[in-house]
Amino acid sequence: MFNLQVDIDNNSGFCFGVVYAIEMAEDILESDGQLYCLGDIVHNDEEVRRLEAKGLQIIDHQTLASINNSKVLIRAHGEPASTYQLALENDIELIDASCPVVLKLQNRIKNSFDKEEHIYIYGKHGHAEVIGLLGQTNNKATVFQELEELDIDSLPKEITLYSQTTKSTEKFYEINEVLAENGITVKSHDTICRQVSNRNKELNYFAKLFDVVIFVSGTKSSNGKVLYQVCKNQNERTYFVSSLDDVRSEWFGKNESVGICGATSTPMWLMEDVKSHLEKL
C-alpha cells in the first residue's frame, strides 16, 4: 500500500462551452434515444464512449451530406456557414451547441473579411474550431501555428490578427511584438478564452504543491497538450494519462502527495475515477 494523499484540482474539468454541449446532447438522448454529432463532441475518448452508450452517433461531414430529416448536434468548436447551408438543403435540424466565445469570434472574423482586411489566424491547422473560423473568410485567411511559418518580409504592411480561442495568451502577444518589431501594423484581436488561458496560471501553482501530478486528458486535445506541458515545466514528475489503464504504480512512493488535474475537455468523473484508483494502490 502506497498510502497516497490524493487531491483533484477544483478548477479542472469541462469549460462552460463543453458543459453546454454535453447537457444539450444528454437532454436529447434522454428524450429521443439517438442523436448524431458532427465530430467528437469533446476531445476525450472516455467521455465520447459514455455518450455513445446512451445513443450518440459521431459522424463526419461526408456522412452529414448523405442524411436527411435528422437531428445533428454542432459541438462547441462551431462550424462554417457551409454546414448550415447543407442542413437547410437536407432538412436537417441542427442542435447548435457552438460555444458563445467561438460564435463571437466567428462574427468578428466575418466582419473583418467583409471589410477586405488581410486576416491571419494563430491556430492549429485542421482543428475543428479553426476550420469554422476559416469558413467565415471563404478559406482565404492565413492560418499559422508557429510564427516561423510566415515569411515576414512578404507579409502585407497591415494585417488583422486573430487567435483560436484555446491558444496561449503569452505566445499570442509575443507574436504581436515580433510582427510590430518588423514594421508590420497589426490590428490585433485578443480572442482567447480566459476560462482556458487562466488555467495556465492556476496549474503553474497547482503543480508545485505535490510530489506527483497526474494530468488526465484525451490524446486529441490541443488544450490538454498545452496544459500538460505547463504542469511538466513546474513538476518533472508529471504524467499524462487518458484512462486508468495508463496509470503506472512505479510513478509513486509511499506516503507521497498526488495532484490530479486535466484539460477543459476532461470530465470530472474521469478524474474522480483516477483518484479512487490511486487511493487503492
Short mmCIF file of all heavy atoms in Angstrom, two decimals, residues 9-62:
data_model
loop_
_atom_site.label_atom_id
_atom_site.label_comp_id
_atom_site.label_asym_id
_atom_site.label_seq_id
_atom_site.Cartn_x
_atom_site.Cartn_y
_atom_site.Cartn_z
N ASP A 9 -7.69 18.97 -8.66
CA ASP A 9 -7.76 20.41 -8.89
C ASP A 9 -9.20 20.82 -9.15
O ASP A 9 -9.82 20.38 -10.12
CB ASP A 9 -6.88 20.76 -10.10
CG ASP A 9 -7.04 22.20 -10.53
OD1 ASP A 9 -7.28 23.06 -9.66
OD2 ASP A 9 -6.93 22.46 -11.75
N ASN A 10 -9.74 21.67 -8.28
CA ASN A 10 -11.15 22.08 -8.42
C ASN A 10 -11.41 22.90 -9.68
O ASN A 10 -12.56 23.02 -10.12
CB ASN A 10 -11.57 22.89 -7.18
CG ASN A 10 -11.67 22.03 -5.94
OD1 ASN A 10 -11.99 20.85 -6.03
ND2 ASN A 10 -11.38 22.61 -4.78
N ASN A 11 -10.36 23.50 -10.25
CA ASN A 11 -10.54 24.33 -11.43
C ASN A 11 -10.47 23.54 -12.74
O ASN A 11 -10.73 24.08 -13.81
CB ASN A 11 -9.47 25.43 -11.46
CG ASN A 11 -9.63 26.42 -10.32
OD1 ASN A 11 -10.71 26.94 -10.08
ND2 ASN A 11 -8.55 26.66 -9.59
N SER A 12 -10.10 22.27 -12.64
CA SER A 12 -10.02 21.44 -13.84
C SER A 12 -11.41 20.91 -14.19
O SER A 12 -12.36 21.06 -13.44
CB SER A 12 -9.04 20.28 -13.63
OG SER A 12 -7.71 20.74 -13.62
N GLY A 13 -11.48 20.26 -15.35
CA GLY A 13 -12.76 19.76 -15.82
C GLY A 13 -13.29 20.61 -16.96
O GLY A 13 -12.63 21.54 -17.43
N PHE A 14 -14.47 20.27 -17.41
CA PHE A 14 -15.05 20.91 -18.59
C PHE A 14 -15.16 22.42 -18.45
O PHE A 14 -15.56 22.93 -17.40
CB PHE A 14 -16.46 20.38 -18.86
CG PHE A 14 -16.51 18.94 -19.30
CD1 PHE A 14 -17.60 18.15 -18.97
CD2 PHE A 14 -15.49 18.38 -20.04
CE1 PHE A 14 -17.68 16.84 -19.39
CE2 PHE A 14 -15.55 17.06 -20.46
CZ PHE A 14 -16.65 16.28 -20.13
N CYS A 15 -14.84 23.14 -19.54
CA CYS A 15 -15.17 24.56 -19.61
C CYS A 15 -16.66 24.70 -19.88
O CYS A 15 -17.34 23.72 -20.23
CB CYS A 15 -14.36 25.24 -20.72
SG CYS A 15 -14.73 24.63 -22.39
N PHE A 16 -17.19 25.91 -19.75
CA PHE A 16 -18.65 26.08 -19.85
C PHE A 16 -19.18 25.72 -21.24
O PHE A 16 -20.30 25.25 -21.39
CB PHE A 16 -19.06 27.50 -19.45
CG PHE A 16 -18.74 28.56 -20.45
CD1 PHE A 16 -19.62 28.87 -21.48
CD2 PHE A 16 -17.55 29.28 -20.36
CE1 PHE A 16 -19.32 29.87 -22.40
CE2 PHE A 16 -17.25 30.27 -21.27
CZ PHE A 16 -18.13 30.56 -22.30
N GLY A 17 -18.35 25.92 -22.27
CA GLY A 17 -18.78 25.59 -23.63
C GLY A 17 -19.01 24.11 -23.81
O GLY A 17 -19.98 23.68 -24.45
N VAL A 18 -18.13 23.30 -23.23
CA VAL A 18 -18.27 21.85 -23.32
C VAL A 18 -19.44 21.38 -22.46
O VAL A 18 -20.21 20.50 -22.86
CB VAL A 18 -16.96 21.15 -22.90
CG1 VAL A 18 -17.15 19.64 -22.81
CG2 VAL A 18 -15.85 21.48 -23.89
N VAL A 19 -19.59 21.95 -21.26
CA VAL A 19 -20.72 21.61 -20.40
C VAL A 19 -22.04 21.84 -21.14
O VAL A 19 -22.95 21.00 -21.13
CB VAL A 19 -20.70 22.44 -19.10
CG1 VAL A 19 -22.00 22.27 -18.31
CG2 VAL A 19 -19.51 22.03 -18.23
N TYR A 20 -22.13 22.98 -21.81
CA TYR A 20 -23.34 23.35 -22.55
C TYR A 20 -23.65 22.32 -23.63
O TYR A 20 -24.79 21.86 -23.77
CB TYR A 20 -23.11 24.74 -23.17
CG TYR A 20 -24.23 25.28 -24.02
CD1 TYR A 20 -25.49 25.51 -23.49
CD2 TYR A 20 -24.01 25.60 -25.37
CE1 TYR A 20 -26.51 26.03 -24.27
CE2 TYR A 20 -25.01 26.13 -26.15
CZ TYR A 20 -26.27 26.34 -25.61
OH TYR A 20 -27.27 26.85 -26.38
N ALA A 21 -22.63 21.91 -24.40
CA ALA A 21 -22.83 20.96 -25.49
C ALA A 21 -23.26 19.59 -24.95
O ALA A 21 -24.18 18.95 -25.49
CB ALA A 21 -21.55 20.83 -26.30
N ILE A 22 -22.62 19.14 -23.89
CA ILE A 22 -22.93 17.81 -23.36
C ILE A 22 -24.31 17.78 -22.71
O ILE A 22 -25.06 16.81 -22.86
CB ILE A 22 -21.82 17.36 -22.38
CG1 ILE A 22 -20.56 17.03 -23.18
CG2 ILE A 22 -22.27 16.16 -21.55
CD1 ILE A 22 -19.37 16.64 -22.35
N GLU A 23 -24.67 18.85 -22.03
CA GLU A 23 -26.01 18.90 -21.43
C GLU A 23 -27.09 18.88 -22.51
O GLU A 23 -28.12 18.20 -22.36
CB GLU A 23 -26.16 20.15 -20.56
CG GLU A 23 -25.40 20.06 -19.24
CD GLU A 23 -25.57 21.29 -18.37
OE1 GLU A 23 -26.07 22.32 -18.89
OE2 GLU A 23 -25.19 21.23 -17.19
N MET A 24 -26.85 19.59 -23.62
CA MET A 24 -27.81 19.56 -24.73
C MET A 24 -27.93 18.16 -25.30
O MET A 24 -29.03 17.66 -25.59
CB MET A 24 -27.40 20.55 -25.82
CG MET A 24 -27.56 22.00 -25.45
SD MET A 24 -27.17 23.12 -26.81
CE MET A 24 -28.61 22.92 -27.85
N ALA A 25 -26.80 17.49 -25.48
CA ALA A 25 -26.80 16.14 -26.02
C ALA A 25 -27.54 15.18 -25.09
O ALA A 25 -28.37 14.37 -25.54
CB ALA A 25 -25.37 15.66 -26.24
N GLU A 26 -27.26 15.27 -23.80
CA GLU A 26 -27.89 14.36 -22.84
C GLU A 26 -29.40 14.56 -22.79
O GLU A 26 -30.16 13.59 -22.67
CB GLU A 26 -27.27 14.55 -21.46
CG GLU A 26 -25.86 13.99 -21.36
CD GLU A 26 -25.25 14.14 -19.98
OE1 GLU A 26 -25.49 15.18 -19.34
OE2 GLU A 26 -24.54 13.22 -19.54
N ASP A 27 -29.86 15.80 -22.88
CA ASP A 27 -31.30 16.07 -22.86
C ASP A 27 -32.00 15.41 -24.05
O ASP A 27 -33.08 14.81 -23.91
CB ASP A 27 -31.57 17.58 -22.89
CG ASP A 27 -31.25 18.26 -21.56
OD1 ASP A 27 -31.09 17.54 -20.55
OD2 ASP A 27 -31.13 19.50 -21.53
N ILE A 28 -31.39 15.52 -25.23
CA ILE A 28 -32.00 14.94 -26.42
C ILE A 28 -31.91 13.42 -26.39
O ILE A 28 -32.85 12.71 -26.76
CB ILE A 28 -31.34 15.50 -27.70
CG1 ILE A 28 -31.65 16.99 -27.82
CG2 ILE A 28 -31.81 14.76 -28.95
CD1 ILE A 28 -30.87 17.71 -28.88
N LEU A 29 -30.78 12.89 -25.93
CA LEU A 29 -30.63 11.44 -25.84
C LEU A 29 -31.65 10.84 -24.86
O LEU A 29 -32.17 9.74 -25.08
CB LEU A 29 -29.21 11.08 -25.40
CG LEU A 29 -28.12 11.33 -26.44
CD1 LEU A 29 -26.74 11.18 -25.82
CD2 LEU A 29 -28.27 10.40 -27.63
N GLU A 30 -31.94 11.58 -23.80
CA GLU A 30 -32.92 11.09 -22.83
C GLU A 30 -34.32 11.01 -23.42
O GLU A 30 -35.08 10.08 -23.14
CB GLU A 30 -32.93 12.01 -21.59
CG GLU A 30 -33.78 11.48 -20.45
CD GLU A 30 -33.67 12.32 -19.19
OE1 GLU A 30 -32.66 13.04 -19.04
OE2 GLU A 30 -34.59 12.24 -18.36
N SER A 31 -34.64 11.98 -24.27
CA SER A 31 -35.99 12.01 -24.86
C SER A 31 -36.10 11.20 -26.15
O SER A 31 -37.12 10.55 -26.39
CB SER A 31 -36.41 13.46 -25.14
OG SER A 31 -35.52 14.07 -26.06
N ASP A 32 -35.03 11.22 -26.97
CA ASP A 32 -35.10 10.56 -28.29
C ASP A 32 -34.36 9.23 -28.35
O ASP A 32 -34.65 8.40 -29.21
CB ASP A 32 -34.52 11.48 -29.37
CG ASP A 32 -35.32 12.76 -29.56
OD1 ASP A 32 -36.29 12.97 -28.80
OD2 ASP A 32 -34.98 13.55 -30.45
N GLY A 33 -33.36 9.05 -27.49
CA GLY A 33 -32.61 7.81 -27.50
C GLY A 33 -31.54 7.73 -28.57
O GLY A 33 -30.79 6.74 -28.64
N GLN A 34 -31.45 8.77 -29.42
CA GLN A 34 -30.45 8.77 -30.50
C GLN A 34 -30.19 10.19 -30.95
O GLN A 34 -31.08 11.04 -30.96
CB GLN A 34 -30.98 7.94 -31.69
CG GLN A 34 -29.96 7.62 -32.77
CD GLN A 34 -29.85 8.70 -33.85
OE1 GLN A 34 -30.80 9.44 -34.07
NE2 GLN A 34 -28.71 8.78 -34.50
N LEU A 35 -28.94 10.46 -31.30
CA LEU A 35 -28.57 11.80 -31.78
C LEU A 35 -27.26 11.70 -32.54
O LEU A 35 -26.32 11.06 -32.11
CB LEU A 35 -28.41 12.77 -30.60
CG LEU A 35 -27.91 14.19 -30.92
CD1 LEU A 35 -28.94 14.95 -31.76
CD2 LEU A 35 -27.59 14.96 -29.65
N TYR A 36 -27.23 12.38 -33.71
CA TYR A 36 -25.97 12.50 -34.45
C TYR A 36 -25.18 13.68 -33.88
O TYR A 36 -25.75 14.68 -33.47
CB TYR A 36 -26.23 12.76 -35.93
CG TYR A 36 -26.85 11.60 -36.70
CD1 TYR A 36 -28.12 11.71 -37.25
CD2 TYR A 36 -26.13 10.42 -36.89
CE1 TYR A 36 -28.68 10.66 -37.96
CE2 TYR A 36 -26.69 9.36 -37.61
CZ TYR A 36 -27.95 9.49 -38.14
OH TYR A 36 -28.50 8.46 -38.85
N CYS A 37 -23.86 13.55 -33.90
CA CYS A 37 -22.99 14.66 -33.53
C CYS A 37 -21.92 14.80 -34.60
O CYS A 37 -21.28 13.81 -34.98
CB CYS A 37 -22.35 14.42 -32.17
SG CYS A 37 -21.25 15.77 -31.64
N LEU A 38 -21.74 16.01 -35.10
CA LEU A 38 -20.79 16.26 -36.18
C LEU A 38 -19.38 16.39 -35.59
O LEU A 38 -18.99 17.44 -35.09
CB LEU A 38 -21.19 17.53 -36.93
CG LEU A 38 -20.43 17.85 -38.22
CD1 LEU A 38 -20.45 16.66 -39.18
CD2 LEU A 38 -21.04 19.07 -38.89
N GLY A 39 -18.62 15.29 -35.62
CA GLY A 39 -17.30 15.25 -34.99
C GLY A 39 -17.42 14.90 -33.53
O GLY A 39 -18.52 14.94 -32.94
N ASP A 40 -16.30 14.52 -32.91
CA ASP A 40 -16.32 14.18 -31.48
C ASP A 40 -16.88 15.35 -30.68
O ASP A 40 -16.40 16.48 -30.81
CB ASP A 40 -14.89 13.89 -30.99
CG ASP A 40 -14.39 12.54 -31.47
OD1 ASP A 40 -15.21 11.73 -31.93
OD2 ASP A 40 -13.17 12.31 -31.37
N ILE A 41 -17.85 15.08 -29.83
CA ILE A 41 -18.48 16.14 -29.06
C ILE A 41 -17.47 16.81 -28.13
O ILE A 41 -17.59 17.99 -27.80
CB ILE A 41 -19.68 15.60 -28.25
CG1 ILE A 41 -20.47 16.74 -27.62
CG2 ILE A 41 -19.25 14.57 -27.22
CD1 ILE A 41 -21.81 16.33 -27.04
N VAL A 42 -16.45 16.07 -27.74
CA VAL A 42 -15.37 16.60 -26.90
C VAL A 42 -14.14 15.75 -27.20
O VAL A 42 -14.26 14.57 -27.54
CB VAL A 42 -15.76 16.54 -25.40
CG1 VAL A 42 -15.98 15.11 -24.94
CG2 VAL A 42 -14.73 17.23 -24.52
N HIS A 43 -12.96 16.34 -27.08
CA HIS A 43 -11.74 15.61 -27.38
C HIS A 43 -11.32 14.74 -26.19
O HIS A 43 -10.24 14.93 -25.61
CB HIS A 43 -10.62 16.58 -27.77
CG HIS A 43 -10.80 17.17 -29.12
ND1 HIS A 43 -10.27 18.38 -29.50
CD2 HIS A 43 -11.46 16.71 -30.22
CE1 HIS A 43 -10.60 18.65 -30.74
NE2 HIS A 43 -11.32 17.65 -31.19
N ASN A 44 -12.19 13.82 -25.86
CA ASN A 44 -11.90 12.88 -24.78
C ASN A 44 -12.61 11.57 -25.09
O ASN A 44 -13.85 11.50 -25.07
CB ASN A 44 -12.34 13.43 -23.43
CG ASN A 44 -11.90 12.55 -22.27
OD1 ASN A 44 -12.53 11.54 -21.99
ND2 ASN A 44 -10.80 12.92 -21.64
N ASP A 45 -11.85 10.53 -25.39
CA ASP A 45 -12.43 9.26 -25.84
C ASP A 45 -13.31 8.62 -24.78
O ASP A 45 -14.33 8.00 -25.11
CB ASP A 45 -11.31 8.28 -26.22
CG ASP A 45 -10.59 8.70 -27.49
OD1 ASP A 45 -11.16 9.50 -28.26
OD2 ASP A 45 -9.46 8.22 -27.73
N GLU A 46 -12.95 8.76 -23.52
CA GLU A 46 -13.73 8.15 -22.45
C GLU A 46 -15.13 8.78 -22.37
O GLU A 46 -16.14 8.08 -22.21
CB GLU A 46 -13.01 8.29 -21.11
CG GLU A 46 -11.66 7.58 -21.04
CD GLU A 46 -11.79 6.08 -21.15
OE1 GLU A 46 -12.56 5.49 -20.37
OE2 GLU A 46 -11.10 5.48 -22.01
N GLU A 47 -15.19 10.10 -22.49
CA GLU A 47 -16.48 10.79 -22.44
C GLU A 47 -17.31 10.49 -23.69
O GLU A 47 -18.52 10.30 -23.62
CB GLU A 47 -16.28 12.29 -22.30
CG GLU A 47 -17.56 13.11 -22.25
CD GLU A 47 -18.42 12.87 -21.01
OE1 GLU A 47 -17.97 12.14 -20.09
OE2 GLU A 47 -19.53 13.42 -20.96
N VAL A 48 -16.65 10.41 -24.84
CA VAL A 48 -17.36 10.07 -26.07
C VAL A 48 -17.98 8.68 -25.96
O VAL A 48 -19.15 8.47 -26.32
CB VAL A 48 -16.41 10.14 -27.29
CG1 VAL A 48 -17.08 9.54 -28.53
CG2 VAL A 48 -16.02 11.59 -27.57
N ARG A 49 -17.22 7.72 -25.42
CA ARG A 49 -17.76 6.36 -25.27
C ARG A 49 -18.95 6.34 -24.31
O ARG A 49 -19.92 5.59 -24.52
CB ARG A 49 -16.66 5.42 -24.77
CG ARG A 49 -15.74 4.92 -25.88
CD ARG A 49 -14.87 3.77 -25.40
NE ARG A 49 -13.72 4.25 -24.66
CZ ARG A 49 -12.55 4.53 -25.20
NH1 ARG A 49 -12.37 4.40 -26.50
NH2 ARG A 49 -11.55 4.95 -24.46
N ARG A 50 -18.88 7.15 -23.26
CA ARG A 50 -20.01 7.21 -22.32
C ARG A 50 -21.28 7.67 -23.01
O ARG A 50 -22.36 7.10 -22.81
CB ARG A 50 -19.67 8.16 -21.16
CG ARG A 50 -20.73 8.25 -20.07
CD ARG A 50 -20.40 9.29 -19.02
NE ARG A 50 -20.60 10.64 -19.50
CZ ARG A 50 -21.79 11.27 -19.49
NH1 ARG A 50 -22.88 10.66 -19.01
NH2 ARG A 50 -21.89 12.51 -19.92
N LEU A 51 -21.15 8.69 -23.85
CA LEU A 51 -22.32 9.23 -24.55
C LEU A 51 -22.77 8.33 -25.70
O LEU A 51 -23.97 8.24 -25.99
CB LEU A 51 -22.02 10.64 -25.06
CG LEU A 51 -21.85 11.68 -23.95
CD1 LEU A 51 -21.29 12.99 -24.51
CD2 LEU A 51 -23.18 11.95 -23.25
N GLU A 52 -21.82 7.66 -26.32
CA GLU A 52 -22.21 6.70 -27.38
C GLU A 52 -23.06 5.58 -26.81
O GLU A 52 -23.98 5.08 -27.47
CB GLU A 52 -20.96 6.13 -28.06
CG GLU A 52 -20.30 7.11 -29.03
CD GLU A 52 -19.04 6.56 -29.66
OE1 GLU A 52 -18.36 5.72 -29.02
OE2 GLU A 52 -18.70 6.98 -30.78
N ALA A 53 -22.77 5.20 -25.57
CA ALA A 53 -23.56 4.15 -24.92
C ALA A 53 -25.00 4.60 -24.69
O ALA A 53 -25.91 3.77 -24.56
CB ALA A 53 -22.91 3.75 -23.59
N LYS A 54 -25.21 5.92 -24.66
CA LYS A 54 -26.55 6.48 -24.48
C LYS A 54 -27.26 6.71 -25.81
O LYS A 54 -28.43 7.09 -25.84
CB LYS A 54 -26.48 7.82 -23.73
CG LYS A 54 -26.02 7.71 -22.27
CD LYS A 54 -25.90 9.10 -21.65
CE LYS A 54 -25.55 9.04 -20.18
NZ LYS A 54 -26.72 8.65 -19.35
N GLY A 55 -26.54 6.51 -26.94
CA GLY A 55 -27.16 6.66 -28.25
C GLY A 55 -26.56 7.74 -29.14
O GLY A 55 -27.07 7.99 -30.24
N LEU A 56 -25.49 8.38 -28.69
CA LEU A 56 -24.84 9.39 -29.53
C LEU A 56 -24.08 8.71 -30.65
O LEU A 56 -23.36 7.73 -30.42
CB LEU A 56 -23.88 10.24 -28.69
CG LEU A 56 -23.29 11.47 -29.40
CD1 LEU A 56 -24.36 12.55 -29.57
CD2 LEU A 56 -22.11 12.04 -28.61
N GLN A 57 -24.22 9.23 -31.86
CA GLN A 57 -23.52 8.68 -33.01
C GLN A 57 -22.66 9.77 -33.65
O GLN A 57 -23.17 10.77 -34.12
CB GLN A 57 -24.51 8.12 -34.03
CG GLN A 57 -23.83 7.42 -35.20
CD GLN A 57 -24.83 6.73 -36.13
OE1 GLN A 57 -25.96 6.46 -35.75
NE2 GLN A 57 -24.40 6.43 -37.35
N ILE A 58 -21.35 9.58 -33.65
CA ILE A 58 -20.42 10.56 -34.21
C ILE A 58 -20.36 10.38 -35.72
O ILE A 58 -20.16 9.27 -36.22
CB ILE A 58 -19.01 10.38 -33.62
CG1 ILE A 58 -19.04 10.41 -32.07
CG2 ILE A 58 -18.08 11.46 -34.16
CD1 ILE A 58 -19.57 11.68 -31.48
N ILE A 59 -20.55 11.48 -36.45
CA ILE A 59 -20.49 11.42 -37.91
C ILE A 59 -19.51 12.48 -38.41
O ILE A 59 -19.15 13.41 -37.69
CB ILE A 59 -21.87 11.65 -38.56
CG1 ILE A 59 -22.42 13.04 -38.20
CG2 ILE A 59 -22.84 10.54 -38.15
CD1 ILE A 59 -23.69 13.42 -38.96
N ASP A 60 -19.07 12.33 -39.65
CA ASP A 60 -18.22 13.34 -40.28
C ASP A 60 -19.03 14.12 -41.32
O ASP A 60 -20.22 13.84 -41.54
CB ASP A 60 -16.98 12.70 -40.91
CG ASP A 60 -17.32 11.62 -41.94
OD1 ASP A 60 -18.46 11.60 -42.45
OD2 ASP A 60 -16.44 10.78 -42.22
N HIS A 61 -18.39 15.06 -41.99
CA HIS A 61 -19.10 15.91 -42.95
C HIS A 61 -19.58 15.12 -44.17
O HIS A 61 -20.62 15.45 -44.75
CB HIS A 61 -18.21 17.07 -43.38
CG HIS A 61 -18.05 18.11 -42.32
ND1 HIS A 61 -17.12 17.99 -41.30
CD2 HIS A 61 -18.70 19.29 -42.10
CE1 HIS A 61 -17.21 19.04 -40.50
NE2 HIS A 61 -18.15 19.84 -40.96
N GLN A 62 -18.86 14.10 -44.53
CA GLN A 62 -19.28 13.26 -45.66
C GLN A 62 -20.58 12.55 -45.34
O GLN A 62 -21.49 12.48 -46.17
CB GLN A 62 -18.18 12.24 -45.99
CG GLN A 62 -18.49 11.40 -47.23
CD GLN A 62 -17.35 10.48 -47.59
OE1 GLN A 62 -16.27 10.54 -47.00
NE2 GLN A 62 -17.56 9.60 -48.55
#
